[in-house]
Amino acid sequence: MPRLAGLSVAFARDADQVARMQFGIGQPAARVEDVRLLTGGGRYTADIDLPGQAHAVVVRSPHAHARLLGVDTGAARTVPGVLAVLSSAELAADALGDIPCRALVKNRDGTPCALAPRSLLARERVRHVGDPIAFVVAETLAAARDAAELVEVNYAPLPAVVEADRAIAPGAPGLWDHAPGNLCFDWAAGDEQATEAAFAKAAKIVRLELINNRLVVCALEPRAAIGDFDPSSDRSTLITASQGTSGLQGVFADTVLKIGRDKLRVITPDVGGGFGMKAFPHPEQGLVLWAARRLGRPVKWVGERSEGFQGDWQGRDNITVGELGLDGAGKFLALRVDTLANLGAYLSSFAPYVPTHAGGTMTTGLYAIPAAFTRVRGVFTNTLPVDAYRGAGRPEAAYLIERLVDQAARAIGAAPDELRRLNLIERLPYRTAFGDTYDSGDFRAVMDKALARADWAGFPKRRTESLARGRRRGIGLATYVERSGGASDTVKVQFNVDDTVSVLMGNQSNGQGHATLYTQMFAARLGIDGGRIRIVQGDSDLTPAGFTGGSRATTVGGPAVDGAAKAVIERGRALAARMFQAAATDIAYAEGAFSVAGSERAIDLFALARATRETPNLAAADERLDLSHSHAAPGPTYPNGCHVCELEVDPATGRIEILRFTVVDDFGAVINPLTLAGQVHGGIAQGLGQALTERTVYDPDSGQLMSASFMDYALPRATDLPAFDFAMHNTPSANNPLGLKGAGEAGAVGAPPAMMNALADALSPLGVTRVDMPATPERVWNSIEAARTSGAA
């Protein structure tokens, strides 16, 4: 496809920004991507236009639940410039497959969970507002929009249900005939018998019900996709934002289009935020590929922000009851958890995995809890599907245990820090009740450092000062641990004719700064100028398989890059020995050059690469410096930390002001402290957004999305957040060759419980016993008034 030649490589090159720069591991190097992006040099999917390109619009359901009695596309087809109007009829005629769920779980009795097939276009029934019904393709976007308005859909509305607890109630509207009671799965983990026995011995049992609110991802860059087709090779190309091209390639080539992976190329240019959502396939990506193959020309779809609210997979949405059993001295004996996980109308790729294996097994946190049992029921509702969102189950787990520990402290009259200190794990390695083995950490020291930086001891004086001004001040802490990394990454190294070297990665930067990180690591290991390194991502024809998610870009991708650099040195040592007719053991490598010990014979790394290309008898193709290297993680890493939030509440308005936010993290080791701090700050902001302002609201009767724009869905603003005090207390991970632990999601894990514990501390003297996220001024004020009128204060 000549029109696509060189497209992906151009996206990956920031060499002008790193020329003449030397990088060292542990140095706060500025991001090499920023100048290009901040000066308008970024190139996102919506910026790309291909010759002969058509434009597409999706016709979506205005109903949350309805039978499709008919889709009349006749009038739409008559609009000048319209090329195709596709519905489920054409979908069936072309025998396209559904988007699969790739992380199914089993029920407690070992039976499989109920499936919910995700078709590219709705068949027979729509199950949420925004469900795609038809795909209109035209010469211009205006013509496609005009035609979309003429698609006539005959609906027979059905009752809808949008909340998990109501969906499993007797008599609730059913979404799928094969899922009675709207139950997708009933999953459990832990030792139920041992847990019940421990609760029977408990001197105190504390119970807490929590709602983990549903979130819209709201990535800065809306989703977009371009499909192209080359009839001469019978090959399709998908250009789209992603978190790794290989996952989309497999789903759409093998399962949806059924053409085989060799017939589909996936290209990802710059990506403006992913947070999990862009890792997973969406119908529109399959629709542009299908339409392009039908029409023999490129088809482009760019989602509007309103479509993001109706079509992007969402996050969280759990109702959880947690119970903690304590002995007479305050030691934790057992944990019992029961969660209803709202999965939405269809099963997205990893949706069942998130509340179960990802989050359900992390609910014991950093505490020595001998017995634990968790039950999770996945429930279908007439809402958008959910999937992994920054943290993916671990924020939900930390929110439960940390809120529960504070509740226990109030119940037994203990200080929240002292109760934690009594129960934090001391000896490592430690195997949790759910089977995770924490390999490293100093949990008490991390908490103590955070409390000292936050001046925890001086809080009572500050509380008195606030009370004198009519304000209620609270302080809260939350420890956290998350499971991150795992799996494997492969790196390809290619030396180029212009004396540069390309490092090809299968994962995908969504704004995290991969080019900076990997350039820094590769340059430091090889001792070369960072300006000669090209980080290439986002092209399934060039890059190996991989993905970004689970805080693994550094923990798995980093050792893969470092290992690839080491492999280059070892192979170069053998080549230099052959060239100089010396023993490999006599070849030294330093500062980008190989030399023979005890002599002046030496050769530069790039000169050696050039010599292997130009001298065929020096090395066979598979002996040159171009190579692939894979790193398989021996196990997950367990980043951990402590967040401390101090806030003030105006009882007259319910307004919260966060005054201080302190976090101390254990990330094992640090490659770049500057980009690391950026990841932590961003995670805290997202976590506080969930706690303060963000909430996806569906009307409980009609199923209509009430928070369908930024008029009704409130993202946090800069004025909502304080300056963050961030520090580290690192203990290298035994599960990582560089000692690294994941960091990309940590801020979002610890921030919500810390803030909500601070709020509970501020309001408990007023008799307030419960405020759920988000703690909007209205909710806070109502809770204060309810306590006042009931006489609880």
Side-chain angles (χ1 to χ4, degrees), residues 216-574:
V216 178
V217 175
C218 299
L220 186 62
E221 174 206 18
R223 287 188 302 112
I226 303 171
D228 194 17
F229 178 62
D230 181 1
S232 65
S233 62
D234 191 34
R235 226 175 160 229
S236 292
T237 298
L238 173 64
I239 304 172
T240 190
S242 77
Q243 293 178 218
T245 59
S246 59
L248 297 183
Q249 182 190 37
V251 167
F252 289 114
D254 295 340
T255 308
V256 177
L257 297 176
K258 304 174 186 177
I259 57 176
R261 297 190 186 205
D262 62 324
K263 296 294 185 182
L264 177 61
R265 179 186 187 186
V266 180
I267 294 173
T268 292
D270 286 319
V271 180
F275 310 112
M277 180 265 292
K278 288 179 182 171
F280 309 118
H282 285 69
E284 297 86 354
Q285 294 161 325
L287 289 169
V288 296
L289 285 169
W290 176 40
R293 290 182 74 88
R294 273 181 149 252
L295 297 173
R297 60 189 292 186
V299 175
K300 181 178 183 178
W301 170 82
V302 178
E304 297 182 354
R305 184 58 69 180
S306 61
E307 288 185 283
F309 281 91
Q310 297 183 57
D312 294 356
W313 303 160
Q314 297 175 348
R316 314 285 194 249
D317 202 349
N318 293 346
I319 302 172
T320 299
V321 174
E323 295 176 285
L324 185 64
L326 300 86
D327 68 14
K331 293 285 286 185
F332 300 160
L333 299 177
L335 175 70
R336 187 165 50 205
V337 182
D338 192 348
T339 294
L340 290 177
N342 190 336
L343 303 174
Y346 306 96
L347 287 183
S348 184
S349 296
F350 280 81
Y353 179 83
V354 173
T356 55
H357 297 286
T361 57
M362 295 299 293
T363 48
T364 53
L366 288 175
Y367 305 106
I369 304 179
F373 178 77
T374 182
R375 179 190 185 192
V376 181
R377 284 169 287 173
V379 183
F380 294 120
T381 65
N382 294 111
T383 61
L384 267 166
V386 299
D387 212 315
Y389 172 70
R390 196 171 194 169
R394 284 94 75 198
E396 297 92 313
Y399 187 66
L400 169 71
I401 188 62
E402 291 302 312
R403 295 296 313 281
L404 195 52
V405 170
D406 259 36
Q407 182 85 342
R410 282 189 290 271
I412 66 173
D417 57 322
E418 290 301 328
L419 186 60
R420 286 175 170 83
R421 195 170 284 109
L422 178 66
N423 287 282
L424 283 171
I425 295 165
E426 293 186 75
R427 296 182 180 179
L428 298 172
Y430 179 88
R431 183 177 172 86
T432 73
F434 292 117
D436 277 277
T437 298
Y438 300 162
D439 63 286
S440 60
D442 191 348
F443 309 139
R444 288 188 180 184
V446 167
M447 185 180 78
D448 288 342
K449 185 173 181 177
L451 295 178
R453 293 180 72 94
D455 188 20
W456 181 274
F459 174 73
K461 180 180 179 181
R462 298 192 295 276
R463 170 174 264 171
T464 301
E465 292 170 349
S466 293
L467 193 59
R469 293 183 285 104
R471 300 291 192 267
R472 293 288 176 167
R473 187 181 287 239
I475 194 167
L477 74 130
T479 65
Y480 80 89
V481 61
E482 63 160 329
R483 185 195 305 116
S484 69
S488 64
D489 261 346
T490 297
V491 173
K492 291 183 180 180
V493 178
Q494 295 178 355
F495 284 82
N496 307 313
V497 295
D498 61 353
D499 283 352
T500 62
V501 58
S502 294
V503 179
L504 295 91
M505 305 287 297
N507 58 22
Q508 181 67 47
S509 179
N510 311 147
Q512 300 95 330
H514 287 189
T516 303
L517 173 76
Y518 297 141
T519 298
Q520 193 168 358
M521 298 186 75
F522 205 68
R525 178 63 67 183
L526 290 177
I528 61 175
D529 192 321
R532 302 177 81 171
I533 299 171
R534 309 284 186 264
I535 304 300
V536 180
Q537 297 176 312
D539 189 337
S540 62
D541 273 7
L542 302 175
T543 54
F547 72 99
T548 292
S551 299
R552 60 189 303 280
T554 301
T555 57
V556 185
V561 169
D562 187 64
K566 290 179 179 178
V568 167
I569 293 172
E570 289 307 306
R571 187 171 289 187
R573 184 175 280 117

Side-chain angles (χ1 to χ4, degrees), residues 706-717:
M706 307 299 290
S707 53
S709 75
F710 288 132
M711 292 292 290
D712 300 294
Y713 188 91
L715 289 177
R717 301 182 181 185

